[in-house]
Every structure is written in structure tokens, then in C-alpha cells.
Amino acid sequence: MKTGKLLEELIDIAQTTKTDFAISMNMTPSGLSKILKGGRLPLLKEKGEFNRKAAAYFADALYGHSCYLKLIHIFPVIYDFNSRYELDNFLSYALEYAFDEDFDEENYGNLSLCNRKSSFMGNKTILNMFCVFVSNYIIGDHDMPLEFYSNIPFFDRAYSDIFPRIKISNSRKLERAVFNYFFNIPAIEASTSDYNIVLFSSIVKAQEYVDLNFWEITKEINCSFLFLKGQFLLLFSLPLDRVPLMTLVTDKGYLNIFSDALVKKEAKKISYSGREVAAALEIDPSILSRLMDKRVDVVYNFIPIGYLVREKDLEFVEGRKVSKRAILEFFHRVMDKETIFFMAANAMFEFGTVGKAVVPLFGAIDFSPKERIQYLQRFNKLINDKSSDKIRALNGEQPKAAVICLQGLNVIYMIDQEYKNEKIHCFETNLFQNIIGRQIAKYAIKVLEFSPELWQAYLNEVTKKLERIGL
């Protein structure tokens, strides 16, 4: 974003006048107007003082609880400021970056940007510049799709003051963003021992902003990076006593070489859309059968999955019979009496109120109020057949996903709020089974003792609720 445009936005957000801002900067309104319209830039020798004064002015006007929300439309990648000083510092970096871009364009025709290489050291500097860089490219005036690649060890202790603080907005530009993440199982298992909850919830949350794809590698890539194809490369290292260093590279030649190297990297995609899985099943219906050769140990349901749907429930749903049959067979296996079955109370009540049961590859199946009660009553047989320790209800807010834990394979299933776009991640590990188990134990998420009596009480409550709202 150009300096004038950024200042215009900040003046508007601060709900001040251009005259008041000009006076605070010891400038005439006409002098400020030239900067805002791009007619001139502050002199190079004035840049430091200009940025400091402007950042201080806006920090005074904007700082408050969750004030980052006021800036999120111009900085879609940002963090929550713990102090006025942090906000001042961030704005100073943002203004300096905008000024440097304008100065390069004015004096070198933007040629220097094609070969820029800059380095930044320390948690605070990297946090600020990371948000400024990435935000600038996201909101930039270009029609290129945003195609990110990364292997940043987000949960490494060395980066614990940087990446966990970052927040992302639902920018329209991000609706078409793809984020490809390279990892290997041993490294991710080791790095999540102290941050286990963050990993699972972060995967689910990230899908709200970008199309997230995981790529499993067997050999480590010898650098940590964030790469926006065709735009920039950020390299991360820990050279001095594990003090983080971030280097920005924009040289187009090097970016092309880096992109080619990634394509040639031996990596296995483990993330699929619902359409990709459905297409694969049509070609090879035995895929789910092979999955069912693995024992299903435990299932966590944080969304209302339709495990008890029947063939007639899918009668009017688009999709080939091969896929429908495969899904129904898989559901039958999941509901096997040996499987431990967790149901989030929120998901149960959501089904009772909204009447949508999610069937992977087919989206949400709608049930009328009368059909909802009849559908829920299908659980009666399951509850009576299973021993009481096999079915458990979880009370508390959970990430909106379902996790199917097979022997040596954890499958994470997600669907968006419109019940249209599905995402399935298949990790060949027991990592997420262990993560959620530790989460329940460590954070005392209430596990209700399940019984036919408890289930009947729930059915009665749903029936009364539907009657109250006239459904």
C-alpha cells in the first residue's frame, strides 16, 4: 500500500481530520495533501521523524482493547497489541515499509523491488515485518491467485512469541488463497508435545481463511520458509543462540528456481477436497474397504456427522451409488460396538435445532422436526448395544471437525458453514488421537457418563425445544 493511501486509511480509522493530523505533524494542510495524493514524499532525511510522529499520533488515537480489529481490513495479517507501544511500533514499521516502496518506485522505477533482499532479527521485528509484508501482498492490486507454500515450524519454542500471536482476517482476497504446508510426521510429533491443543484447533481454524493442503515429506527441507509464488520468499533461521532471523527475497530469478525445486521435491499430498475423494472412489471403490481393514479405535464428533443415515435418506442427494454405498458401509464400521464414540453436546443440540446431519462427500442432509426425533432415536439401539464406557458425551466448545482415529491413521474431516466445501486430511499417525485424549484429561473437559436414561433426557429436551419454537 502506498504511503498516501495508508495515511488516508489511518486518518479515516482514527476518525480525525486531515487538518488535525497535519497540525500534529507541524505541516500545512496543503503540504499533507500533496503526500496523501502521491504528489511528493517526505524528504529522505525527514522519513524517520515523519514515521515516528505519525505512528505516535495514530497509536494515541487508536489504542484500546482489541484495537487490531480496527486495522484488520488494511492488515489482514496482524496481531493483538498488548500495549500502546506495540501498536506504535507496528505502525512505524508499516509506514516505513510503505515509504521505502514509494521511494524505490519514484527513483528506480520499482526495479530495486525485483532484487530486494533484506534481513530482520528478533521476535518483535519479525512479528511486525511479517504482518506488514504478507498483508501488503494480500491486499495488493493484482489478479494473481495467492498460492502460499511453507514449512515453518509454527510450534517451535523459538517462534512461540511470533506465530501463535498472529491473527488472520476473512479478507476477500484470501477466499482464493491456497496454503500448502510441507511437514514430516516425526518432526510434527516432536514439536507439538507442549502445544498439542493449538495444532488441532489451528488446522480447523486455518481452513476458514485458506484452502489448506498438507504435503508429507520424508526428507527435511534444509530451510524454513514462507513462499508466495511469483511474489516473495521469506527465509527463517536461528543463527545466534536461537534468536530468529527472517530474510525477505524478491529476486524473480531466484523465486523461479525455488518454485521449480519445490515442484521436484518428493512430497505426498494427504489433504483432499470432497470432490477429489468422491472422484477417487468412483475410480476405485475399494479405497474405503482398505481403510476398514484398519481398526477404528475412537471417533470424536464435534460436528453432527450422519453416522446413522440410511440409504433412503440419501435417495434425493446427488451422487453416484458407488460412493453412497461405500460411505454407508464405512459408517456401519465406525458404529461397530468396539469403537469408542465421543459426541460433543454442542453438536448434538445443533442437529436438534438446525436439523442437518453431515455426510462426507454429500454435504448436509436436512431432516424435518419430526424426522429429527426419529433419526435421533436410531441411537437407542447403539446405546443399548454398546457398553456404557464406549459412548461418551463431551461438554465444552471444540473445534468444528470430526476426527476418525484408525489404527495408525488419523482422519480429520471439516466442512464450511454453508455445508458446501469439504476438506479431509489423512495423517498416518496416532498424533491427533493422543492430542485430544490429553486435552480432555489436562483441561478437564467434562465427559458425561452416558446411559439410556441420559439419552432419553436429551431426546425429551430436543422435543420440547422444537415444540417451543413451533417446528
Side-chain angles (χ1 to χ4, degrees):
M1 183 179 293
K2 291 184 174 294
T3 306
K5 174 65 174 173
L6 178 55
L7 289 171
E8 289 259 22
E9 291 281 0
L10 291 172
I11 289 170
D12 184 56
I13 295 168
Q15 296 183 333
T16 188
T17 66
K18 295 174 183 178
T19 301
D20 286 342
F21 176 63
I23 291 172
S24 75
M25 299 291 290
N26 296 322
M27 299 178 66
T28 63
S30 60
L32 174 64
S33 181
K34 289 181 181 178
I35 294 175
L36 296 180
K37 293 178 180 178
R40 82 170 186 90
L41 292 171
L43 297 176
L44 194 58
K45 64 181 180 180
E46 299 173 340
K47 181 186 75 168
E49 184 179 0
F50 181 91
N51 289 345
R52 283 192 297 273
K53 282 185 176 181
Y57 177 87
F58 292 119
D60 284 338
L62 297 175
Y63 182 70
H65 177 67
S66 295
C67 60
Y68 75 95
L69 293 171
K70 301 174 183 177
L71 300 167
I72 210 159
H73 71 283
I74 55 174
F75 296 104
V77 178
I78 201 169
Y79 64 98
D80 194 357
F81 307 106
N82 292 330
S83 66
R84 181 203 161 281
Y85 171 77
E86 280 196 339
L87 175 57
D88 187 327
N89 207 26
F90 174 78
L91 293 173
S92 182
Y93 277 111
L95 287 163
E96 182 175 8
Y97 180 74
F99 176 89
D100 287 343
E101 279 201 312
D102 288 346
F103 182 82
D104 285 340
E105 185 173 353
E106 184 177 277
N107 290 278
Y108 307 110
N110 214 26
L111 291 176
S112 64
L113 285 177
C114 297
N115 297 286
R116 178 181 290 179
K117 182 177 179 181
S118 308
S119 294
F120 306 89
M121 180 172 285
N123 293 329
K124 296 291 186 183
T125 302
I126 292 175
L127 176 60
N128 283 305
M129 292 309 300
F130 182 91
C131 293
V132 170
F133 286 148
V134 181
S135 292
N136 183 66
Y137 282 94
I138 288 174
I139 66 173
D141 293 326
H142 53 77
D143 295 325
M144 294 178 61
L146 298 174
E147 194 173 336
F148 289 95
Y149 296 82
S150 183
N151 70 337
I152 298 173
F154 292 109
F155 304 102
D156 191 307
R157 286 180 178 274
Y159 299 109
S160 61
D161 291 329
I162 301 175
F163 299 114
R165 294 192 63 184
I166 291 175
K167 300 179 183 295
I168 303 174
S169 76
N170 281 315
S171 166
R172 288 185 179 179
K173 288 287 185 75
L174 285 174
E175 290 177 3
R176 56 190 173 84
V178 178
F179 194 97
N180 298 286
Y181 188 76
F182 294 82
F183 76 101
N184 67 38
I185 290 292
I188 205 168
E189 287 177 337
S191 67
T192 57
S193 58
D194 294 325
Y195 299 98
N196 46 49
I197 294 175
V198 176
L199 173 62
F200 175 50
S201 60
S202 294
I203 290 173
V204 179
K205 192 71 176 174
Q207 195 64 41
E208 296 179 14
Y209 306 109
V210 295
D211 183 13
L212 179 62
N213 293 301
F214 284 96
W215 296 80
E216 185 176 357
I217 55 176
T218 54
K219 294 181 180 179
E220 279 287 353
I221 299 174
N222 61 5
C223 63
S224 296
F225 66 90
L226 175 69
F227 175 54
L228 177 55
K229 190 173 183 179
Q231 300 296 318
F232 70 81
L233 172 66
L234 291 174
L235 296 169
F236 297 84
S237 58
L238 302 166
L240 298 175
D241 196 27
R242 291 182 66 80
V243 175
L245 176 70
M246 179 178 75
T247 300
L248 168 68
V249 180
T250 58
D251 181 82
K252 296 299 182 182
Y254 188 81
L255 295 185
N256 290 333
I257 293 171
F258 192 88
S259 179
D260 291 341
L262 282 181
V263 171
K264 295 175 183 177
K265 190 72 181 174
E266 293 182 7
K268 180 176 70 173
K269 186 180 179 183
I270 66 163
S271 302
Y272 310 94
S273 68
R275 290 180 180 178
E276 287 174 322
V277 175
L281 278 175
E282 293 301 326
I283 295 171
D284 183 5
S286 67
I287 291 174
L288 282 182
S289 300
R290 293 198 300 272
L291 277 180
M292 287 190 288
D293 290 338
K294 297 177 179 287
R295 185 179 72 247
V296 183
D297 293 325
V298 58
V299 175
Y300 296 95
N301 303 282
F302 305 137
I303 51 179
I305 295 289
Y307 293 106
L308 290 178
V309 296
R310 296 168 181 165
E311 196 163 352
K312 66 176 184 179
D313 298 320
L314 301 179
E315 207 169 34
F316 301 105
V317 179
E318 291 185 8
R320 297 192 179 180
K321 289 185 178 181
V322 172
S323 298
K324 290 181 181 179
R325 194 178 307 114
I327 286 294
L328 291 171
E329 288 176 1
F330 186 68
F331 279 177
H332 178 75
R333 178 62 186 275
V334 166
M335 303 308 289
D336 182 271
K337 62 183 179 181
E338 297 302 319
T339 304
I340 298 174
F341 198 80
F342 282 90
M343 294 187 291
N346 288 348
M348 293 158 59
F349 280 104
E350 180 183 338
F351 173 79
T353 303
V354 181
K356 292 182 181 292
V358 177
V359 178
L361 312 188
F362 299 98
I365 309 300
D366 291 306
F367 290 84
S368 69
K370 183 179 179 180
E371 291 171 333
R372 293 173 209 176
I373 301 301
Q374 293 172 347
Y375 176 82
L376 290 171
Q377 287 172 343
R378 296 177 193 176
F379 276 93
N380 294 348
K381 185 177 185 303
L382 175 73
I383 293 164
N384 292 329
D385 288 349
K386 278 181 178 279
S387 58
S388 59
D389 64 331
K390 296 295 183 181
I391 300 182
R392 303 169 191 177
L394 293 178
N395 199 14
E397 194 65 32
Q398 305 296 328
K400 298 291 185 182
V403 185
I404 301 171
C405 302
L406 300 96
Q407 191 176 23
L409 177 67
N410 288 179
V411 178
I412 299 177
Y413 172 84
M414 293 172 280
I415 190 167
D416 63 13
Q417 293 182 347
E418 287 75 35
Y419 301 98
K420 292 181 179 178
N421 298 314
E422 302 170 290
K423 202 69 181 184
I424 301 165
H425 305 293
C426 303
F427 293 88
E428 293 184 3
T429 176
N430 292 320
L431 175 66
F432 296 95
Q433 181 176 348
N434 298 334
I435 281 175
I436 299 172
R438 289 198 300 266
Q439 179 180 353
I440 291 170
K442 183 176 180 181
Y443 290 86
I445 295 172
K446 190 173 182 181
V447 181
L448 305 177
E449 292 183 6
F450 220 84
S451 66
E453 292 75 22
L454 178 63
W455 180 248
Q456 189 58 49
Y458 165 70
L459 288 180
N460 293 340
E461 182 63 28
V462 172
T463 303
K464 290 178 183 177
K465 188 170 184 178
L466 292 175
E467 290 174 349
R468 282 199 302 269
I469 61 178
L471 292 176

